Amino acid sequence: MLRSTPMTTRRRRARVARASILACAFLVLASASSPRAAENAEGSGAEAPESPPIELARILVEARAAEAQLDSIEQALSDGAPSASFEAELERADAAIERQRERETSQLDSPTLELVEDLESEWRSVLEDLPRRAERLEARAEDLAMLAADLARLRDVWTASLASAEEEGAPATALTRTRAIVDRIEQLDRRLATEEEVVLSRQAAVSDRIVAIEEAIERLNELSSQLVRRILERDRAPVWSIATEEDVGATIREQIDLTLASGRSELEAFLVDERQQIPAHLIGIALLYLLLRTARRRVRARSEEEVALGRASEVFELPFATAILIGLLAAPLVYGHVPSLVGQLIGLGALVPTVLILRRFTPVSLHPLLTALVFFYVADRVRDATLAVTIVSRLLFLLEMVVAVGLLAWLLRPTRLSGIPQWVARSFLLRALGIVSNVALALFGVALAGEVFGYSRLAQLLGGGALESAYIGVIAYAAVRIAESLVALLLRIPPLALLRMVDRKRALIRHRAYRTIRIGSVFLWLALSLDRFALWVPLTDGLGEFVGAKARVGAIEFSLGNVLAFALTVTAAIFVSRFARFVLEEDVYPRLRLSRGVPYAISTFLHYGILLLGFVLAVAAMGIDLDRFAILAGAFGVGVGFGLQNVVNNFASGLILLTERPIQVGDTIDTGDSLGEVVRIGIRSSTVRTWDGAELIVPNAQLISERVVNWTLSDRQRRIDVPVGVAYGTDRAQVMELLRRVGEANDEVMSDPAPVALFAGFGDSSLDFVLRVWTAEASRIIVIKSDLAMAIGDALAEANIEIPFPQRDLHVRSVSPGVRFSTGSSGVDGERD
């Protein structure tokens, strides 16, 4: 339940008082500038500064400029002329105020929280347009004050010029032109005085009504607070003595007549006030229905291709119900003011298509609960119309609670729930629904008992709040299913479907959108439900006082609210940075021809730029003076510069790496003691992943100031040398041709430059050759070299070319006696006798 706080009321009254004071000041200014005021001032002996007359030779030239200025003043008066419909609007406001006062007089004998909330809502709906009218009148008064000042200056100049021209005996043409200008100024001055009186009277009328309505809202707020404080007190007789409370006969007819008359007046006023918006709203719903029908055909055609569209097709199978629900939910945005009766009709109109839509997404065993909500809503509205007739409203409420308890107990019995499929019963939605249903059953039971024993305020707060929360919940769930279906469809049709990021990350984007919609709907449902239980205002007021409590540490003063604002701003900056980089990397960079490393540099600078901006905004949100913060940051920066020279050096080196790009992400570098691929270039350090899987953190200053070999700076080509040795006597030309064919047969070897076989020289035991090839797959050189070596071995074996092993000649200088030698195929063998 929304309430007007004393601070808000004082602010509005200050605005109304300011408008009245401005209007009064305008009257004083205008009257002081009128000819009558000038005569009075002259008669009283007051001296006013005289404006210098226009030279006679320039009168005709200045007359054209003055006439143009008078034309603009007259146009401004015509454009902002008092509207004839203002009085009719004021009469409608007076009629609404009178109806509200009559309703309070007849219904506040036995007030309930529900009745007070309804009355307060009606007062706020009456008040809604009046502050805007007051602001328009205030702006008009300011415009009139400016026009009055312009007229006063013109009158002073041209009155003095007319007197001077008559004294000097100016030509008749000049005198006639000057008198015409003076006469026109006086005519516009009288017209201005008339309009200012109208504006002032209207400001007074509007301010009187604003004050009266705000006083009524304050009275209802105080009454509501009293009722909440006395919520646990018995306020009515027990139900078994209800017949003795009042005479029902005459009251029911009187209340029905009053309700019908009030509703008819509200409906007529709504149709008159919104006569332009209503046709546009209906046309919008019709167009939405046609669009949904068109979308249904497309969804049917693609529902088999994608599971998400298959689930969305259930919503598009009911285009009329979906269009009606969306249109009614948008009604508060279309109309400036929605009266209570119209709001109730909109609620009923939204609940019916909601039930039709949700019957497609819920188990059959829950369909009676959805249908019952419509009847509960109708019963609630009938009970609202008969709140002044205590016996009728109490009996209706008791009937609602009995039916609600019986229906929930019937639906939650184990035998009925056993019919729900296990995969549905284990879903989060069904588990949450089960918890909420058990809580609602307890609330309905307590409300029933409270109403029976005379605790009507407590009973209607709990029971009525539970029902209102249920209405909001089912409508919110239907809105979530519609929103998710629309998201699934929009991601499949242009223009979103044309985006590369949507084509590649459609499932991720859909999942994130679904989660955002669901979280938002849950928070909205919780807020509105807490409001129905009269907990939202106390909760928000308590949280506001808690987070607004100031704490002081030395000369620094802060609060939890400032800290939360700082944290939320920084978090928002992080999310904005992630989203911006995602869009750039997925959809912008692939469409542009950028040098290697430029996209990473742009993303990095953008990331830190957004974080820096977010930090500055977070500091401002925390309530710290930015000028003082700049001074402290400067002093702190000097200290950091001396104490953290290495960190600052690495930071500057990181900026150089990102701008000059001597090393880029994905490059293969050799720092002298390690060889690997650059996977990240940060502001302070970079990460190199070595070939054995270790991640090496290298300070940026080392990459700038020391010698670093970049194997892939200009391109990704790497040369591979495979040495081969064959036995002496082998045909060298045959070996070179065989090596060249092996190089050309490998798919990962480049054809330009072509593979080259080279004779390296005469080895100790072999003829040495080298196969030299180039590859564009720098990260696979070890694998490619292995493949080439294997292929060379197979080719040599197939050609019967021997790969020799190292040989040594042994010269024996002396032999022990008794050792006999024999020569075999494998060398010289010896044995001892």
Side-chain angles (χ1 to χ4, degrees), residues 105 130 283 350 479 541 709 724 777:
T105 303
L130 291 177
I283 293 173
D541 290 345
V709 177
V724 179
E777 302 293 335

Side-chain angles (χ1 to χ4, degrees), residues 141-156:
E142 293 176 354
D143 294 340
L144 292 178
M146 295 176 60
L147 294 177
D150 292 340
L151 276 178
R153 287 193 295 269
L154 287 173
R155 181 175 49 252
D156 292 342

Side-chain angles (χ1 to χ4, degrees), residues 370-514:
L370 295 175
T371 306
L373 286 177
V374 179
F375 294 99
F376 278 124
Y377 187 85
V378 175
D380 277 345
R381 303 293 71 83
V382 174
R383 184 163 54 85
D384 290 342
T386 58
L387 283 176
V389 187
T390 307
I391 183 173
V392 176
S393 63
R394 292 189 68 184
L395 290 177
L396 281 175
F397 183 76
L398 283 171
L399 179 62
E400 285 186 84
M401 294 300 101
V402 170
V403 174
V405 170
L407 180 63
L408 283 179
W410 177 68
L411 288 174
L412 295 176
R413 72 187 193 278
T415 56
R416 185 169 182 82
L417 294 178
S418 62
I420 300 177
Q422 288 299 319
W423 68 272
V424 177
R426 287 194 298 266
S427 65
F428 173 77
L429 177 63
L430 262 293
R431 293 200 303 269
L433 182 60
I435 296 174
V436 172
S437 299
N438 284 289
V439 173
L441 180 60
L443 291 176
F444 289 143
V446 174
L448 178 60
E451 187 65 46
V452 168
F453 289 99
Y455 294 89
S456 291
R457 280 195 293 266
L458 177 62
Q460 294 188 15
L461 176 65
L462 297 179
L467 286 176
E468 292 288 339
S469 179
Y471 306 147
I472 297 170
V474 295
I475 293 176
Y477 180 56
V480 166
R481 297 310 297 255
I482 292 174
E484 291 179 353
S485 301
L486 291 176
V487 167
L489 176 63
L490 292 175
L491 292 177
R492 275 294 179 183
I493 61 176
L496 294 182
L498 301 178
L499 299 176
R500 290 174 57 93
M501 63 178 180
V502 173
D503 184 55
R504 298 178 57 186
K505 304 290 184 179
R506 181 176 288 106
L508 175 63
I509 295 173
R510 185 174 58 246
H511 173 71
R512 297 285 175 84
Y514 286 2

Side-chain angles (χ1 to χ4, degrees), residues 11 133 168 176 207 321 443 549 599 606 628 726 823-824:
R11 221 178 262 123
R133 294 193 182 103
E168 295 180 7
T176 302
S207 63
L443 291 176
L606 180 66
R628 183 179 301 177
V726 300
T823 303

Side-chain angles (χ1 to χ4, degrees), residues 5 532 544 607 762 828:
T5 62
R532 295 306 184 271
H607 171 63
F762 300 94
V828 179

Side-chain angles (χ1 to χ4, degrees), residues 554-574:
I556 301 176
E557 185 180 82
F558 63 91
S559 66
L560 180 60
N562 297 137
V563 176
L564 290 176
F566 180 88
L568 290 176
T569 305
V570 172
T571 304
I574 293 174

Side-chain angles (χ1 to χ4, degrees), residues 23 31 82 96 125 146 190 214 232 310 359 370 459 468 528 549 578 583 591 639 656 664 682 689 697 715 829:
S31 60
S125 64
M146 295 176 60
R190 290 191 295 271
E214 290 183 342
L232 297 178
R359 288 171 69 91
L370 295 175
E468 292 288 339
L528 295 177
R578 292 177 59 183
V583 173
R591 301 176 187 272
I656 294 174
Q664 303 169 23
R689 185 176 181 85
I697 309 300
D715 54 49
D829 295 331

